[in-house]
């Protein structure tokens, strides 16, 4: 689809603000150089960002004989965005200022049986009450919420959350009615929010073609091109975990057979280890995965064989993605990557050349997410920031009348 002038303007705005967040304080001239935009374009965008309350001038620098240049920074004292990470056992909220620094955080633990929409919303409301009390009168610019499963971002509906058996839940309306915030609420799933977080603050900043692979209970890929999240026609782009690598393989939770997720999702990894080891995995998935990592570190043969097998399937799946999309950067993320990465990633990297075509393999960089912060919450808050910046078109039009 052809980009409109508004699309181009917003992309340029995002690029300017991302560089400003990373390198503040800085000048219009340096921003123009870093973004490959003209000084005039950057100056217009900065003027609108100042009017929107997102950017402030914080001083002057000597320009070497000419007029001193104004130094710019995000308005750390302005409004805040809130990112919400909703998982099966917790609701976690983080509050960010416009530098994307954390201002406050609250976590509410949940029992796995607490999976009705009103129960989830109750925990979010409880956490929001604590946050609003501590914020005082500071303005909330937007609320971003990450929900598991398939999300209709236009209508704010949880289309399908298989672990909770949710179908077409009007979550945004229910949440707005409960919170009575009077600010925009943005919904998406963890795959998309993590990718947005990588674009704004992580390894994906400034990358043209990005793939973020999430390895967890489920498996997926967040895709971004030209600094923008790619959603596809129905916001279902990135269901890499449900691409088939063996039509005669095991059944996946989506109903198909031989999906990548059926080989490298956490349940599949633990099932394979259990088959080789001959004993049932006790405890939670996270505890069982940590036990597998410890067994691999101790050199136990069944654990080593499990890692080698999973690495082979991961290499085949990633090679398919490289051959199809030819990304500049692939970031491996997700809780399985965190727990099992030291064992799995080196084996995967050794096997990847046996599956991928030479040209896309040479072009790509492979990175493991090294951020300690919650990228789901950060990405959800960044969605709220992007929504706030969508007002730029209105502000810019009004300021030039």
């Amino acid at each position: 689809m052809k980009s409109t002038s508004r699309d181009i303007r917003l992309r340029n705005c995002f690029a300017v603000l991302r560089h400003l967040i990373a390198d503040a304080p800085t000048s219009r001239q340096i921003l123009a150089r870093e973004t490959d935009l003209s000084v005039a374009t950057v100056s217009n965008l900065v003027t609108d960002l100042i009017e929107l309350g997102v950017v402030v001038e914080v001083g002057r620098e000597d320009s070497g004989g000419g007029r001193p240049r104004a130094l710019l920074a995000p308005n750390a004292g302005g409004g805040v965005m809130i990112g919400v990470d909703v998982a099966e056992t917790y609701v976690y909220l983080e509050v960010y200022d416009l530098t994307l620094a954390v201002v406050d955080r609250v976590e509410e633990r949940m029992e796995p049986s607490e999976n009705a929409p009103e129960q989830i919303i109750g925990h979010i409301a409880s956490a929001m009450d604590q946050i609003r009390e501590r914020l005082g009168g500071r303005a909330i610019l937007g609320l971003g919420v990450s929900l598991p499963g398939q999300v209709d971002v236009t209508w704010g509906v949880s289309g399908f959350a298989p672990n909770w058996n949710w179908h077409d839940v009007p979550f945004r309306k229910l949440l707005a009615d409960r919170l009575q915030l009077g600010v925009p609420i943005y919904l998406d799933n963890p795959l998309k929010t993590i990718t947005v977080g990588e674009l704004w603050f992580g390894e994906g900043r400034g990358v043209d073609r990005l793939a973020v692979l999430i390895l967890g209970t489920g498996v997926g890929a967040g895709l971004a091109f030209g600094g923008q999240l790619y959603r596809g026609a129905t916001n279902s782009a990135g269901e890499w975990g449900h691409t088939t690598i063996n039509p005669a393989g095991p059944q996946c939770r989506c109903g198909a057979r031989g999906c990548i997720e059926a080989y490298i999702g956490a349940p599949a990894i633990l099932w394979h280890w259990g088959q080789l080891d001959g004993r049932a995995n006790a405890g939670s998935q996270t505890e069982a995965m940590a036990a597998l990592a410890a067994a691999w570190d101790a050199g136990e043969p069944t654990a080593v064989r499990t890692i080698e097998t999973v690495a082979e399937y991961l290499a085949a799946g990633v090679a398919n993605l490289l051959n199809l999309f030819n990304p500049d950067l692939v970031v491996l993320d997700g809780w399985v990557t965190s727990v099992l990465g030291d064992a799995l990633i080196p084996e995967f990297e050794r096997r990847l050349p046996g599956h991928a075509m030479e040209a896309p393999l040479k072009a790509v960089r492979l990175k493991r997410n090294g951020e300690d912060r919650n990228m789901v919450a950060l990405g959800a808050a960044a969605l709220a920031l992007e929504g706030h910046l969508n007002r730029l078109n209105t502000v810019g039009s009004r300021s030039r009348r």
Side-chain angles (χ1 to χ4, degrees), residues 147-153 156-162 166-169 187-190 192 234-236 239 242 254:
L147 290 174
Q150 298 173 7
V151 175
D152 184 325
V153 297
V157 171
S158 172
F160 179 46
W166 285 14
H167 297 270
D168 299 325
V169 174
L187 299 188
D188 219 317
N189 63 26
K192 301 294 195 302
T234 60
N235 198 41
S236 58
E239 291 293 347
H242 299 295
C254 73

Short mmCIF file of all heavy atoms in Angstrom, two decimals, residues 147-153 156-162 166-169 187-190 192 234-236 239 242 254:
data_model
loop_
_atom_site.label_atom_id
_atom_site.label_comp_id
_atom_site.label_asym_id
_atom_site.label_seq_id
_atom_site.Cartn_x
_atom_site.Cartn_y
_atom_site.Cartn_z
N LEU A 147 -2.07 -8.21 25.72
CA LEU A 147 -2.88 -9.37 26.08
C LEU A 147 -2.40 -10.58 25.29
O LEU A 147 -2.08 -10.45 24.10
CB LEU A 147 -4.36 -9.14 25.74
CG LEU A 147 -5.15 -8.14 26.55
CD1 LEU A 147 -6.54 -7.98 25.94
CD2 LEU A 147 -5.26 -8.57 28.00
N PRO A 148 -2.37 -11.76 25.90
CA PRO A 148 -1.99 -12.96 25.14
C PRO A 148 -3.03 -13.29 24.09
O PRO A 148 -4.22 -12.98 24.23
CB PRO A 148 -1.92 -14.06 26.21
CG PRO A 148 -2.76 -13.56 27.34
CD PRO A 148 -2.67 -12.07 27.31
N GLY A 149 -2.57 -13.92 22.99
CA GLY A 149 -3.49 -14.38 21.96
C GLY A 149 -3.64 -13.40 20.82
O GLY A 149 -2.80 -12.52 20.60
N GLN A 150 -4.72 -13.53 20.09
CA GLN A 150 -4.99 -12.69 18.92
C GLN A 150 -5.81 -11.48 19.33
O GLN A 150 -6.81 -11.60 20.03
CB GLN A 150 -5.74 -13.51 17.86
CG GLN A 150 -4.96 -14.71 17.35
CD GLN A 150 -5.79 -15.59 16.44
OE1 GLN A 150 -6.91 -15.26 16.07
NE2 GLN A 150 -5.22 -16.73 16.07
N VAL A 151 -5.37 -10.30 18.87
CA VAL A 151 -6.00 -9.05 19.28
C VAL A 151 -6.38 -8.24 18.04
O VAL A 151 -5.58 -8.08 17.12
CB VAL A 151 -5.04 -8.21 20.16
CG1 VAL A 151 -5.64 -6.85 20.49
CG2 VAL A 151 -4.71 -8.97 21.45
N ASP A 152 -7.59 -7.73 18.01
CA ASP A 152 -8.04 -6.80 16.99
C ASP A 152 -7.74 -5.40 17.50
O ASP A 152 -8.44 -4.88 18.39
CB ASP A 152 -9.54 -6.97 16.73
CG ASP A 152 -10.06 -6.09 15.60
OD1 ASP A 152 -9.56 -4.96 15.46
OD2 ASP A 152 -10.97 -6.54 14.87
N VAL A 153 -6.67 -4.78 16.97
CA VAL A 153 -6.22 -3.51 17.52
C VAL A 153 -7.15 -2.36 17.15
O VAL A 153 -7.22 -1.36 17.86
CB VAL A 153 -4.78 -3.19 17.07
CG1 VAL A 153 -3.81 -4.22 17.58
CG2 VAL A 153 -4.67 -3.08 15.56
N GLY A 156 -10.23 -3.00 19.54
CA GLY A 156 -9.89 -3.23 20.94
C GLY A 156 -10.48 -4.50 21.49
O GLY A 156 -10.91 -4.55 22.64
N VAL A 157 -10.46 -5.54 20.67
CA VAL A 157 -11.09 -6.81 21.03
C VAL A 157 -10.05 -7.91 21.14
O VAL A 157 -9.16 -8.02 20.28
CB VAL A 157 -12.16 -7.20 19.98
CG1 VAL A 157 -12.68 -8.61 20.21
CG2 VAL A 157 -13.31 -6.20 20.00
N SER A 158 -10.14 -8.71 22.20
CA SER A 158 -9.36 -9.94 22.29
C SER A 158 -10.08 -10.99 21.47
O SER A 158 -11.10 -11.55 21.90
CB SER A 158 -9.22 -10.38 23.75
OG SER A 158 -8.62 -11.66 23.82
N GLY A 159 -9.59 -11.24 20.27
CA GLY A 159 -10.28 -12.15 19.37
C GLY A 159 -10.24 -13.60 19.82
O GLY A 159 -11.24 -14.32 19.75
N PHE A 160 -9.04 -14.01 20.30
CA PHE A 160 -8.91 -15.40 20.72
C PHE A 160 -7.70 -15.52 21.64
O PHE A 160 -6.58 -15.21 21.24
CB PHE A 160 -8.75 -16.31 19.51
CG PHE A 160 -8.58 -17.77 19.86
CD1 PHE A 160 -9.39 -18.39 20.80
CD2 PHE A 160 -7.60 -18.54 19.23
CE1 PHE A 160 -9.24 -19.73 21.12
CE2 PHE A 160 -7.43 -19.88 19.54
CZ PHE A 160 -8.26 -20.48 20.48
N ALA A 161 -7.93 -15.93 22.88
CA ALA A 161 -6.87 -16.22 23.84
C ALA A 161 -7.04 -17.68 24.25
O ALA A 161 -7.85 -18.00 25.13
CB ALA A 161 -6.94 -15.30 25.05
N PRO A 162 -6.32 -18.60 23.60
CA PRO A 162 -6.62 -20.04 23.76
C PRO A 162 -6.45 -20.54 25.19
O PRO A 162 -7.23 -21.38 25.64
CB PRO A 162 -5.64 -20.71 22.81
CG PRO A 162 -4.57 -19.70 22.53
CD PRO A 162 -5.24 -18.37 22.62
N TRP A 166 -10.90 -17.33 25.63
CA TRP A 166 -11.58 -16.07 25.33
C TRP A 166 -11.88 -16.03 23.83
O TRP A 166 -11.03 -16.37 23.00
CB TRP A 166 -10.69 -14.89 25.66
CG TRP A 166 -10.56 -14.57 27.11
CD1 TRP A 166 -10.92 -15.35 28.17
CD2 TRP A 166 -9.99 -13.38 27.67
NE1 TRP A 166 -10.61 -14.72 29.35
CE2 TRP A 166 -10.04 -13.51 29.07
CE3 TRP A 166 -9.45 -12.23 27.12
CZ2 TRP A 166 -9.56 -12.52 29.92
CZ3 TRP A 166 -8.97 -11.24 27.96
CH2 TRP A 166 -9.03 -11.38 29.36
N HIS A 167 -13.06 -15.56 23.49
CA HIS A 167 -13.45 -15.36 22.10
C HIS A 167 -14.17 -14.02 21.99
O HIS A 167 -15.20 -13.81 22.63
CB HIS A 167 -14.38 -16.49 21.61
CG HIS A 167 -13.74 -17.84 21.61
ND1 HIS A 167 -13.06 -18.35 20.53
CD2 HIS A 167 -13.67 -18.79 22.58
CE1 HIS A 167 -12.61 -19.57 20.82
NE2 HIS A 167 -12.96 -19.85 22.06
N ASP A 168 -13.60 -13.12 21.20
CA ASP A 168 -14.25 -11.83 20.89
C ASP A 168 -14.68 -11.07 22.14
O ASP A 168 -15.83 -10.62 22.27
CB ASP A 168 -15.45 -12.05 19.96
CG ASP A 168 -15.04 -12.67 18.63
OD1 ASP A 168 -13.94 -12.34 18.15
OD2 ASP A 168 -15.81 -13.49 18.10
N VAL A 169 -13.75 -10.89 23.05
CA VAL A 169 -14.01 -10.13 24.29
C VAL A 169 -13.73 -8.64 24.02
O VAL A 169 -12.61 -8.30 23.63
CB VAL A 169 -13.12 -10.63 25.44
CG1 VAL A 169 -13.30 -9.75 26.68
CG2 VAL A 169 -13.44 -12.08 25.76
N LEU A 187 -4.48 -1.74 22.64
CA LEU A 187 -4.29 -3.16 22.90
C LEU A 187 -3.43 -3.79 21.83
O LEU A 187 -3.48 -3.42 20.66
CB LEU A 187 -5.62 -3.91 22.91
CG LEU A 187 -6.70 -3.55 23.92
CD1 LEU A 187 -7.83 -4.57 23.82
CD2 LEU A 187 -6.16 -3.48 25.32
N ASP A 188 -2.65 -4.79 22.22
CA ASP A 188 -1.97 -5.67 21.26
C ASP A 188 -1.50 -6.89 22.03
O ASP A 188 -1.74 -7.01 23.24
CB ASP A 188 -0.82 -4.96 20.54
CG ASP A 188 -0.76 -5.36 19.07
OD1 ASP A 188 -0.92 -6.57 18.78
OD2 ASP A 188 -0.57 -4.48 18.22
N ASN A 189 -0.79 -7.79 21.33
CA ASN A 189 -0.30 -8.99 22.00
C ASN A 189 1.19 -8.85 22.29
O ASN A 189 1.85 -7.94 21.78
CB ASN A 189 -0.62 -10.25 21.20
CG ASN A 189 0.04 -10.27 19.84
OD1 ASN A 189 1.08 -9.66 19.63
ND2 ASN A 189 -0.55 -10.99 18.90
N PRO A 190 1.77 -9.74 23.11
CA PRO A 190 3.18 -9.59 23.50
C PRO A 190 4.14 -9.60 22.31
O PRO A 190 5.17 -8.92 22.33
CB PRO A 190 3.43 -10.79 24.42
CG PRO A 190 2.09 -11.16 24.94
CD PRO A 190 1.12 -10.85 23.84
N LYS A 192 3.76 -8.35 19.35
CA LYS A 192 3.82 -7.02 18.74
C LYS A 192 4.43 -6.00 19.69
O LYS A 192 5.22 -5.14 19.27
CB LYS A 192 2.41 -6.58 18.33
CG LYS A 192 1.69 -7.50 17.35
CD LYS A 192 2.35 -7.54 16.00
CE LYS A 192 1.46 -8.15 14.92
NZ LYS A 192 1.03 -9.53 15.21
N THR A 234 -4.69 -8.51 8.89
CA THR A 234 -5.57 -8.75 10.04
C THR A 234 -4.81 -8.75 11.36
O THR A 234 -5.26 -9.36 12.33
CB THR A 234 -6.31 -10.09 9.88
OG1 THR A 234 -5.35 -11.16 9.80
CG2 THR A 234 -7.19 -10.10 8.63
N ASN A 235 -3.68 -8.06 11.42
CA ASN A 235 -2.83 -8.01 12.61
C ASN A 235 -2.32 -9.39 13.01
O ASN A 235 -1.97 -9.62 14.16
CB ASN A 235 -3.57 -7.39 13.80
CG ASN A 235 -2.61 -6.93 14.91
OD1 ASN A 235 -1.56 -6.37 14.63
ND2 ASN A 235 -2.95 -7.19 16.16
N SER A 236 -2.26 -10.32 12.07
CA SER A 236 -1.79 -11.67 12.39
C SER A 236 -0.45 -11.98 11.74
O SER A 236 -0.02 -13.14 11.74
CB SER A 236 -2.83 -12.72 11.97
OG SER A 236 -3.13 -12.62 10.60
N GLU A 239 2.99 -14.96 12.65
CA GLU A 239 2.67 -16.27 13.22
C GLU A 239 3.62 -17.34 12.67
O GLU A 239 3.21 -18.37 12.13
CB GLU A 239 1.20 -16.64 12.94
CG GLU A 239 0.20 -15.79 13.69
CD GLU A 239 0.23 -16.02 15.20
OE1 GLU A 239 0.86 -17.01 15.64
OE2 GLU A 239 -0.37 -15.20 15.94
N HIS A 242 3.47 -21.00 13.62
CA HIS A 242 2.44 -21.85 13.02
C HIS A 242 2.65 -22.03 11.53
O HIS A 242 1.70 -22.23 10.77
CB HIS A 242 1.05 -21.30 13.35
CG HIS A 242 0.79 -21.27 14.82
ND1 HIS A 242 0.70 -22.44 15.58
CD2 HIS A 242 0.65 -20.25 15.69
CE1 HIS A 242 0.50 -22.11 16.84
NE2 HIS A 242 0.48 -20.79 16.94
N CYS A 254 -2.76 -25.13 17.59
CA CYS A 254 -3.61 -24.43 16.63
C CYS A 254 -4.48 -25.40 15.83
O CYS A 254 -5.37 -24.97 15.10
CB CYS A 254 -2.75 -23.60 15.67
SG CYS A 254 -1.82 -24.57 14.46
#
